[in-house]
Amino acid sequence: MSLLEVNDLSIRYDVGDDDVHAVDGVTFSIDRGETYGLVGESGCGKTTLAKSLIHLLDSNGYIESGEMWFDGTLPRWENERGEPRREIIDDDQYPVREDGMTDLAQLDDEQIRDVRWRNIALIPQSAMNALNPVYKVGDQIVEAILRHEPHTPREEADQRARDLLERVGIEPDRADDYAHEYSGGMKQRAVIAMAMACSPDMLIADEPTTALDVIIQDRILDELDELQEEFNVSILVVSHDISVMAEICDQLAVMYGGKIMESGPKKEVFQQSANPYTLGLKNSFPTVKEEQSELVSIPGSPPTLLDPTDKCRFVDRCPFVVEECHSSHPPMYGVSSGETGRRAEADDPQTHRTACYRVDELETMRTEAGKEETWQATTQNR
Ligand SMILES: Nc1ncnc2c1ncn2[C@@H]1O[C@H](COP(=O)(O)OP(=O)(O)OP(=O)(O)O)[C@@H](O)[C@H]1O
Ligand code: SF4
Ligand SMILES: [Mg+2]
């Protein structure tokens, strides 16, 4: 069952005459207890998308259109004594669907404050540098608990903070240390512990392993995996490294220029990639398990998101361009193996889908995308 359904979401930043179209018509869904990966190059809109879910966009950012339906068991139903807040439930204006899902996009500031931490917790990009240097790490977790559960006695919050640290592999006594006494991996774990403080339904981890060495990266990923299993929490992981994502995700979405180019079950997206951009991205990262002789980067740079034109976002860097690619950005086509007539638009965001007009020529594209000269030719054509 879906915990989150995002439909046709567009987010912009107001920067003057033209807006930055940071996220453009994105649709995806995350099930309860699922790990969903969002991958793509720097600047493609990953952080914007993640932060928009809990209205933490920069002040010039805004949701232009779209829906973000979230499973209805939100803390707004309770007051500080855990009693239902009837006046809100009875409000006809409240954005609740018949099945109990709530549209996060329509919540006001007070309502979304209830959702943050208690329902959806964010581990922000570069979070480990954000621990406050002048407070003990344990106190920072206690503060997070008390801010969202003010009725909890301090001693109980203190014990919970120590338990949480222990849960992520840090000795409870280290709660009395300051952040500078922690290693990079410990800081990242402490931030994960803090995010879990209120047992959220969903954890958003924005680049949780960037800046960590490979061994620590692996441990952090294992940690997230274990938390997901133990607490049945859904995790939205954001990364630019598709190999990292292939390790831990159930579902994967590949973003480029504010659009989802390919999405679906991780295995299918990673092993039977169906979009030229995914194929290019895979070439440029070392895989953990398979042998790979050399890395091939995608020549060129991502498109401007300032008022983008309506052609395929990848058109300037794609080695497989045909005339149709210049007409408009492709819809999401279903990717099904071996069937004739497979070029049909697919609605279910959990199935394997690709935004590419050449979805019927996958085998050729896969073979060609593995060759360095294919990508070099793109540069020469430009
Ligand atoms: N406050 C802002 N004002 C204007 N443009 C912004 C703002 N914040 C982000 N952007 C732009 O929006 C686009 C998406 O940015 P975002 O940070 O979401 O990308 P990202 O995929 O998370 O990148 P990275 O991998 O570098 O973290 C980029 O073009 C970025 O320059
Ligand atoms: S639609 Fe065209 S430009 Fe876009 S990814 Fe497919 S082949 Fe490349
Ligand atoms: Mg980011």
Side-chain angles (χ1 to χ4, degrees):
M1 182 192 158
S2 294
L3 176 68
L4 176 73
E5 287 175 20
V6 172
N7 295 327
D8 210 10
L9 179 67
S10 294
I11 299 161
R12 297 188 182 179
Y13 290 106
D14 181 354
V15 287
D17 293 344
D18 292 326
D19 281 359
V20 174
H21 295 223
V23 173
D24 198 0
V26 158
T27 294
F28 66 100
S29 73
I30 303 181
D31 283 351
R32 266 194 188 277
E34 184 173 76
T35 303
Y36 195 97
L38 207 53
V39 69
E41 272 168 289
S42 185
C44 71
K46 306 180 295 293
T47 296
T48 302
L49 176 51
K51 283 165 79 173
S52 72
L53 297 173
I54 41 177
H55 299 205
L56 281 180
L57 291 169
D58 294 345
S59 57
N60 63 334
Y62 64 99
I63 296 171
E64 217 270 323
S65 56
E67 299 164 341
M68 307 188 297
W69 295 102
F70 188 75
D71 191 350
T73 48
L74 298 179
R76 67 172 186 281
W77 306 130
E78 301 164 3
N79 61 19
E80 64 281 4
R81 292 182 301 281
E83 297 159 344
R85 281 167 29 181
R86 284 286 158 203
E87 77 282 7
I88 295 179
I89 298 176
D90 293 341
D91 186 347
D92 286 343
Q93 300 304 309
Y94 213 80
V96 180
R97 252 180 6 192
E98 270 179 19
D99 60 2
M101 303 277 274
T102 302
D103 187 6
L104 300 177
Q106 295 182 52
L107 297 189
D108 63 26
D109 288 352
E110 191 196 343
Q111 291 162 341
I112 200 73
R113 255 200 306 275
D114 280 344
V115 173
R116 278 185 219 135
W117 289 86
R118 289 203 47 184
N119 289 98
I120 304 179
L122 171 72
I123 303 171
Q125 199 163 354
S126 313
M128 62 184 185
N129 301 323
L131 284 171
N132 194 321
V134 298
Y135 290 105
K136 292 174 182 172
V137 173
D139 286 347
Q140 295 182 55
I141 301 177
V142 168
E143 196 196 317
I145 296 171
L146 295 181
R147 201 181 317 136
H148 299 277
E149 299 174 20
H151 53 290
T152 305
R154 168 127 204 147
E155 309 76 64
E156 188 186 318
D158 193 57
Q159 188 54 49
R160 260 170 66 189
R162 285 165 197 273
D163 291 347
L164 280 162
L165 284 175
E166 191 171 22
R167 178 63 200 76
V168 296
I170 298 174
E171 289 286 317
D173 287 352
R174 302 293 301 266
D176 298 323
D177 288 354
Y178 294 89
H180 72 266
E181 296 172 271
Y182 277 31
S183 66
M186 284 171 75
K187 283 187 217 168
Q188 189 66 39
R189 280 158 195 265
V191 173
I192 292 173
M194 202 182 297
M196 289 300 294
C198 297
S199 306
D201 300 291
M202 190 164 123
L203 200 58
I204 301 172
D206 194 351
E207 304 277 3
T209 60
T210 309
L212 296 173
D213 69 56
V214 187
I215 295 171
I216 306 293
Q217 262 189 27
D218 220 37
R219 288 197 198 138
I220 297 286
L221 295 177
D222 284 348
E223 200 61 65
L224 284 173
D225 212 31
E226 282 169 25
L227 287 173
Q228 187 261 308
E229 282 217 354
E230 191 175 330
F231 297 99
N232 199 32
V233 59
S234 301
I235 305 182
L236 173 62
V237 199
V238 170
S239 175
H240 61 278
D241 185 338
I242 194 167
S243 309
V244 165
M245 297 306 226
E247 287 286 293
I248 57 163
C249 295
D250 301 305
Q251 290 269 324
L252 191 58
V254 181
M255 270 188 93
Y256 184 77
K259 297 271 192 191
I260 290 182
M261 298 300 290
E262 179 168 4
S263 66
K266 175 262 305 272
K267 262 197 180 154
E268 291 175 41
V269 174
F270 197 68
Q271 292 172 3
Q272 296 148 41
S273 309
N275 191 281
Y277 178 62
T278 315
L279 291 164
L281 198 61
K282 269 170 50 181
N283 282 343
S284 44
F285 282 97
T287 55
V288 182
K289 298 213 166 92
E290 291 164 29
E291 259 186 49
Q292 191 168 18
S293 49
E294 57 185 306
L295 302 178
V296 182
S297 61
I298 306 172
S301 42
T304 172
L305 299 181
L306 267 178
D307 201 13
T309 50
D310 192 30
K311 48 192 178 183
C312 174
R313 286 288 159 89
F314 193 46
V315 77
D316 291 336
R317 300 170 82 190
C318 181
F320 306 110
V321 183
V322 289
E323 211 178 319
E324 195 176 10
C325 310
H326 290 275
S327 61
S328 59
H329 186 81
M332 294 300 271
Y333 292 109
V335 182
S336 51
S337 49
E339 291 169 27
T340 51
R342 69 182 160 193
R343 188 171 165 160
E345 290 180 36
D347 290 332
D348 183 353
Q350 290 253 319
T351 58
H352 191 187
R353 307 192 303 163
T354 178
C356 179
Y357 288 119
R358 300 189 67 182
V359 63
D360 291 333
E361 300 160 75
L362 291 181
E363 290 313 325
T364 316
M365 289 201 295
R366 283 176 189 143
T367 311
E368 292 304 311
K371 302 175 188 164
E372 189 174 0
E373 57 269 27
T374 302
W375 297 92
Q376 279 168 352
T378 321
T379 332
Q380 283 151 18
N381 291 341
R382 236 176 297 150

